Amino acid sequence: DPWRIVFTCAIALLIYQIPWQNFGWRSTPWQRSALIIPALMALITAEDISVFSLLISALFYLRIAYDQKNIRWSYISLGFINWLVIKLLGEYNPQSTVTVVAGIIGLSILYVAQFDPDLKLRRHLRHYLRLLGSSIFCIAALFEQPAIITGAIAFGFILVGLGLKIRAFLFTGTITLVLTVLYQLIILIFTYSF
């Protein structure tokens, strides 16, 4: 039943919005309960949860992140969006590639590295997270995709690194491009040795 999560999110949002202090009650326990209810309902119905329910849950936590002006609530929403994409891939393309899953993981890490407020002050950790996120995607493409696609991904990272002045993307793109060229050169040498 896709409407079960919709009703749960609506009730949780109502509980979250009610001014409990006007009734003489503390609002903190009610708001914390409202924040847990949709995620708990999604985990309970995880086996047969619909795409619509995952989208509504993601929108609920985006609303909470916007309301509290705390970007970290959007990480839960990001988890629901990743779950939604993996579920869609499982339904429509059951033989989805490792590159797509690595792209989801890598993009999630890059999202955290870009928007986490603590990482703006800790530049080294932010750089390493960017390296990790882009490397996961490039390594998966290097081992699974044809050389043209891997080269295009590498050039994309190089251009983004140059355009945005982000060293991690430039490093990852350059190393991936060099490894792709070397791999193709080795294949060429063994195929046409004369």
Side-chain angles (χ1 to χ4, degrees):
D1 186 14
W3 295 103
R4 185 173 18 193
I5 296 275
V6 174
F7 290 136
T8 304
C9 288
I11 291 170
L13 195 59
L14 181 68
I15 291 172
Y16 182 79
Q17 295 291 337
I18 292 176
W20 294 102
Q21 62 273 10
N22 292 348
F23 301 123
W25 295 12
R26 292 182 49 215
S27 62
T28 307
W30 290 100
Q31 288 179 346
R32 287 182 183 165
S33 300
L35 294 175
I36 292 173
I37 291 171
L40 188 62
M41 183 60 123
L43 290 175
I44 289 171
T45 61
E47 289 181 14
D48 59 345
I49 194 166
S50 68
V51 173
F52 183 67
S53 299
L54 289 171
L55 182 66
I56 293 298
S57 299
L59 289 174
F60 173 79
Y61 284 105
L62 279 176
R63 168 76 168 88
I64 297 299
Y66 177 75
D67 186 51
Q68 291 188 359
K69 294 178 180 39
N70 186 355
I71 194 72
R72 291 189 175 136
W73 282 108
S74 69
Y75 299 162
I76 298 173
S77 183
L78 180 66
F80 280 116
I81 291 171
N82 290 344
W83 189 0
L84 181 140
V85 170
I86 290 172
K87 186 166 181 67
L88 281 175
L89 285 174
E91 287 178 4
Y92 295 110
N93 188 9
Q95 298 172 349
S96 60
T97 61
V98 175
T99 308
V100 175
V101 176
I104 292 169
I105 294 169
L107 288 174
S108 298
I109 293 171
L110 290 175
Y111 176 80
V112 171
Q114 182 65 32
F115 294 111
D116 194 275
D118 287 344
L119 293 177
K120 293 186 191 235
L121 303 174
R122 301 167 65 189
R123 296 186 61 177
H124 289 294
L125 183 58
R126 186 179 189 183
H127 173 71
Y128 293 135
L129 278 175
R130 283 178 173 163
L131 274 175
L132 177 67
S134 57
S135 296
I136 288 172
F137 185 59
C138 286
I139 288 172
L142 186 66
F143 287 115
E144 191 177 64
Q145 297 297 325
I148 299 292
I149 295 175
T150 306
I153 291 170
F155 269 122
F157 271 111
I158 290 171
L159 292 176
V160 168
L162 288 172
L164 298 177
K165 298 179 183 173
I166 298 175
R167 292 177 302 149
F169 296 157
L170 188 60
F171 292 160
T172 306
T174 304
I175 290 171
T176 305
L177 186 64
V178 167
L179 288 175
T180 304
V181 168
L182 287 175
Y183 180 67
Q184 291 304 310
L185 188 62
I186 289 171
I187 289 175
L188 183 68
I189 287 171
F190 282 121
T191 304
Y192 302 108
S193 56
F194 293 113

